[in-house]
C-alpha cells in the first residue's frame, strides 16, 4: 500500500513539497549535492529501514533477521517490478549494475564471429566487457553512428541490425559522461521486429525518468539503486523478460540460490529471474533499496522527471553563459547530467575548489568515453553536475556563482602528462 505524505505528488497535482522532501534528506543541510549521478542522498526512511534491520541482526542473528523480515525483503522485487512495469518474477537483486550486466552477458552463448551491436555512447565497463568478449570468444563489436546533433542514428542502427544480424544489441539509456538520453524504445521496436536480443543499461535513468520495460521492449535491463533512486551503495538489479526466462538463459556461474541440485549430474535453474541472484545478499541494503524505490514511487516519477529536467536545463543554460566554460551535452533530449569543459584548470584542483565551497560534483575523463570525449569532443576531462528533484533553483544559482568565481581566476594549467586523475566510476 502506498503511503500518504504531503510532500508527494498526487495524480491530479504534480507539484512537490520541496521543503518537506529536503527535511527528509539530512544531507541537504550540509552540502549542495549535485552528484546524484554518482550517489543520491538517501532519504531518512531509507536510512532508518537499514539501521533497523542491522540492529535486528545484532539482536537475534543474521539468518534469523532475514527470516523475520522476509516480507520486507520480498518488497524489493515487488517495488522494483512496479517501478519498471514488470512482474516480481522478472527482477533479480544484484550487488551493482555492472554485476547485473555481467550476469546478463554471461547468459548469452557467444560464438566466434557473433556480433555485438552497440552505440558510441556506452558506459565504460560495458565497452570493456565487449572487448573482453572479443578477446576470449572472437565476437565482433559494431558501433552504430551518431546523428550530427548527437545521439545514435536509430535508422542506421536498424540497417546494421538487418545487415549484421547481431547476437546482441546493447544500448545505454543515459551515458555516464553526458546528459544525452538515447531513444532506447525506438531501438527496441526494431529489435522486436527482427527478433534480436536486446540489453539496456538504465543505470543513470532509473529514478530520474519513467522507465517502462514494456515500452522499451528489452530482454535485459540493468540499473543501480544508489544514484537517482537514492538507495544504498552496492545494490542494483537485473530485469529479465519472460522470453529470456522461458528460453532458458541463465548466468554462467549459477549458484544454490539460482538453481536446485536435482541429482549428482544435474541441476534445475529457478523459473524466475532469481536464477540470476546469489545466495548471499546484504539484507539491510536490500530492505533499504526497497524503501528507496517505494519512496520514489510515492513521490511519482512524472513529477521527479519534470523537476530534474527543469533544474538541469536551467543549470546548463546558465553555465553556457560563463567565460572559459563549454557545455558538452548534445542530443535531441537531455537529462539531469550536465557536463562542462573548463579552460585553464586541471581536474582535481577544480573539483577540490568546489568541494571546499560545499558543492558536490564528479569528474569524467577521456578514458571513460573514448568515442565521445576522445573523438567527438576532444576533451581530456569534464566536470559533471547532476541535480535531482530535491535540489533547488537557489542551489543552481549558487553553483553557477561558484563556477563563475573560479573560472575568472584560473590556476596555471599543468602539462597533460603530469595529471593522474582520481577515478569516479559512474
Amino acid at each position: 500500500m502506498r503511503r500518504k505524505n504531503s510532500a508527494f505528488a498526487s495524480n491530479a497535482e504534480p507539484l512537490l513539497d520541496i521543503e518537506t522532501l529536503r527535511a527528509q534528506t539530512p544531507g541537504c543541510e550540509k552540502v549542495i549535492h549535485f552528484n546524484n549521478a554518482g550517489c543520491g542522498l538517501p532519504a531518512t526512511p531509507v536510512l532508518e529501514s537499514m539501521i533497523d534491520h542491522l540492529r535486528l541482526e545484532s539482536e537475534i542473528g543474521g539468518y534469523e533477521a532475514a527470516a523475520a523480515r522476509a516480507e520486507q525483503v520480498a518488497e524489493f522485487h515487488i517495488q522494483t517490478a512496479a517501478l519498471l512495469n514488470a512482474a516480481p518474477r522478472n527482477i533479480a537483486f544484484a550487488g551493482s549494475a555492472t554485476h547485473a550486466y555481467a550476469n546478463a552477458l554471461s547468459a548469452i552463448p557467444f560464438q566466434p564471429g557473433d556480433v555485438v551491436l552497440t552505440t558510441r555512447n556506452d558506459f565504460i565497463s560495458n565497452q570493456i566487457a565487449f572487448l573482453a568478449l572479443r578477446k576470449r570468444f572472437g565476437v565482433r563489436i559494431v558501433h552504430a553512428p551518431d546523428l550530427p546533433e548527437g545521439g545514435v542514428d536509430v535508422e542506421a542502427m536498424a540497417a546494421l541490425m538487418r545487415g549484421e544480424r547481431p547476437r546482441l544489441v546493447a544500448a545505454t539509456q543515459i551515458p555516464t559522461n553526458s546528459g544525452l538520453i538515447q531513444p532506447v524504445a525506438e531501438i527496441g521496436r526494431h529489435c522486436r521486429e527482427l527478433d534480436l536480443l536486446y540489453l539496456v543499461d538504465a543505470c543513470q535513468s532509473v529514478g530520474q525518468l519513467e522507465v517502462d520495460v514494456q515500452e522499451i521492449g528489452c530482454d535485459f535491463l540493468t540499473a543501480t539503486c544508489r544514484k537517482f533512486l537514492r538507495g544504498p551503495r552496492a545494490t542494483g538489479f537485473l530485469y529479465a523478460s519472460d522470453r529470456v526466462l522461458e528460453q532458458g538463459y541463465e548466468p554462467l556461474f549459477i549458484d544454490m540460490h539460482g538453481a536446485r541440485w536435482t541429482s549428482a549430474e544435474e541441476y534445475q535453474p529457478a523459473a524466475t529471474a532469481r536464477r540470476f541472484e546469489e545466495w548471499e545478499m546484504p539484507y539491510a541494503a536490500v530492505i533499504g533499496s526497497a524503501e528507496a524505490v517505494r519512496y520514489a514511487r510515492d513521490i511519482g516519477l512524472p513529477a521527479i522527471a519534470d523537476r530534474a529536467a527543469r533544474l538541469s536545463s536551467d543549470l546548463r543554460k546558465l553555465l553556457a553563459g560563463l567565460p572559459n566554460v563549454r557545455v558538452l551535452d548534445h542530443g535531441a533530449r537531455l537529462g539531469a547530467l550536465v557536463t562542462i569543459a573548463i579552460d585553464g584548470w586541471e581536474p582535481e584542483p577544480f573539483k577540490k575548489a568546489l568541494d571546499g565551497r560545499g558543492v558536490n560534483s564528479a569528474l569524467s575523463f577521456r578514458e571513460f568515453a573514448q568515442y565521445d570525449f576522445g573523438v567527438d569532443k576532444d576533451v581530456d576531462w569534464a566536470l559533471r553536475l547532476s541535480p535531482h528533484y530535491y535540489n533547488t533553483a537557489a542551489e543552481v544559482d549558487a553553483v553557477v556563482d561558484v563556477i563563475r568565481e573560479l573560472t575568472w581566476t584560473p590556476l596555471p594549467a599543468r602539462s597533460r602528462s603530469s595529471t593522474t586523475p582520481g577515478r569516479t566510476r559512474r
Side-chain angles (χ1 to χ4, degrees):
M1 181 177 294
R2 299 180 68 181
R3 300 165 300 169
K4 301 295 183 181
N5 189 311
S6 62
F8 300 154
S10 68
N11 292 332
E13 178 54 70
L15 298 178
L16 302 179
D17 182 349
I18 301 302
E19 183 177 345
T20 299
L21 290 169
R22 288 174 66 82
Q24 295 173 349
T25 307
C28 289
E29 298 179 2
K30 299 180 180 297
V31 294
I32 297 177
H33 190 70
F34 275 26
N35 191 18
N36 292 283
C39 287
L41 292 178
T44 300
V46 175
L47 178 64
E48 291 178 344
S49 70
M50 295 177 67
I51 292 173
D52 182 59
H53 187 77
L54 289 172
R55 184 177 293 110
L56 184 64
E57 286 188 347
S58 74
E59 293 170 351
I60 69 171
Y63 286 17
E64 292 76 11
R69 296 285 171 79
E71 289 187 8
Q72 290 92 322
V73 172
E75 279 294 303
F76 175 83
H77 299 85
I78 294 168
Q79 292 294 330
T80 304
L83 181 74
L84 302 178
N85 190 24
R89 68 178 178 275
N90 300 117
I91 304 300
F93 175 83
S96 70
T98 299
H99 184 197
Y101 202 92
N103 256 358
L105 288 178
S106 80
I108 303 169
F110 289 105
Q111 300 293 325
D114 282 349
V115 170
V116 174
L117 175 60
T118 185
T119 72
R120 294 165 60 89
N121 279 282
D122 206 344
F123 179 51
I124 173 178
S125 291
N126 303 345
Q127 292 286 333
I128 291 173
F130 300 153
L131 292 170
L133 288 171
R134 184 175 71 183
K135 180 188 291 186
R136 179 163 296 189
F137 297 111
V139 305
R140 291 196 299 121
I141 309 166
V142 176
H143 293 88
D146 279 350
L147 295 165
E149 62 270 26
V152 67
D153 185 332
V154 175
E155 293 307 312
M157 193 172 193
L160 288 168
M161 291 182 200
R162 292 188 291 270
E164 298 284 356
R165 297 301 302 183
R167 186 68 181 86
L168 175 69
V169 177
T172 296
Q173 190 168 17
I174 302 178
T176 189
N177 51 282
S178 155
L180 172 69
I181 300 177
Q182 295 276 41
V184 290
E186 293 180 36
I187 297 170
R189 283 194 287 275
H190 290 289
C191 289
R192 290 195 300 274
E193 289 170 3
L194 297 170
D195 194 28
L196 297 174
L197 198 65
Y198 184 29
L199 168 60
V200 173
D201 180 336
C203 200
Q204 297 288 6
S205 51
V206 169
Q208 177 191 162
L209 307 176
E210 294 181 85
V211 176
D212 185 330
V213 293
Q214 307 306 325
E215 178 185 5
I216 293 172
C218 52
D219 296 289
F220 293 109
L221 181 140
T222 61
T224 185
C225 300
R226 76 173 193 268
K227 297 179 183 292
F228 290 95
L229 277 176
R230 305 175 60 194
R233 296 196 68 174
T235 61
F237 59 83
L238 169 69
Y239 160 82
S241 70
D242 285 338
R243 181 173 85 141
V244 300
L245 295 176
E246 292 164 1
Q247 292 181 2
Y249 287 88
E250 62 184 59
L252 179 60
F253 297 109
I254 195 167
D255 86 345
M256 60 185 285
H257 179 80
R260 292 177 56 244
W261 195 14
T262 54
S263 72
E265 302 295 333
E266 294 182 346
Y267 70 90
Q268 180 66 43
T272 70
R274 301 293 182 92
R275 69 181 65 166
F276 290 94
E277 292 182 343
E278 296 171 351
W279 183 84
E280 179 59 23
M281 286 193 282
Y283 284 96
V286 173
I287 290 171
S289 297
E291 185 61 38
V293 177
R294 182 187 293 109
Y295 191 85
R297 292 186 61 231
D298 284 347
I299 294 170
L301 267 298
I304 288 173
D306 178 71
R307 183 170 175 82
R310 284 188 286 111
L311 288 172
S312 58
S313 177
D314 290 346
L315 177 63
R316 204 173 274 116
K317 290 174 183 176
L318 291 170
L319 289 171
L322 298 184
N324 303 316
V325 171
R326 177 161 56 103
V327 176
L328 300 174
D329 306 315
H330 302 297
R333 186 183 176 200
L334 300 177
L337 281 75
V338 179
T339 55
I340 58 174
I342 300 163
D343 294 337
W345 280 83
E346 289 293 317
E348 288 82 7
F350 196 87
K351 184 179 184 305
K352 185 176 180 180
L354 287 179
D355 292 344
R357 290 161 174 79
V359 177
N360 288 355
S361 64
L363 298 171
S364 285
F365 297 93
R366 182 181 288 246
E367 72 176 69
F368 293 2
Q370 290 287 0
Y371 290 103
D372 188 43
F373 281 8
V375 177
D376 299 336
K377 297 171 181 174
D378 190 25
V379 294
D380 285 340
W381 68 278
L383 182 76
R384 187 183 70 186
L385 300 164
S386 47
H388 206 8
Y389 63 91
Y390 59 83
N391 292 118
T392 66
E395 288 181 318
V396 169
D397 291 339
V399 170
V400 173
D401 286 343
V402 168
I403 293 175
R404 178 186 291 110
E405 172 197 343
L406 293 173
T407 54
W408 278 350
T409 56
L411 291 179
R414 299 193 304 270
S415 66
R416 290 181 179 178
S417 61
S418 67
T419 302
T420 306
R423 295 299 184 243
T424 299
R425 183 183 172 278
R426 280 189 184 255

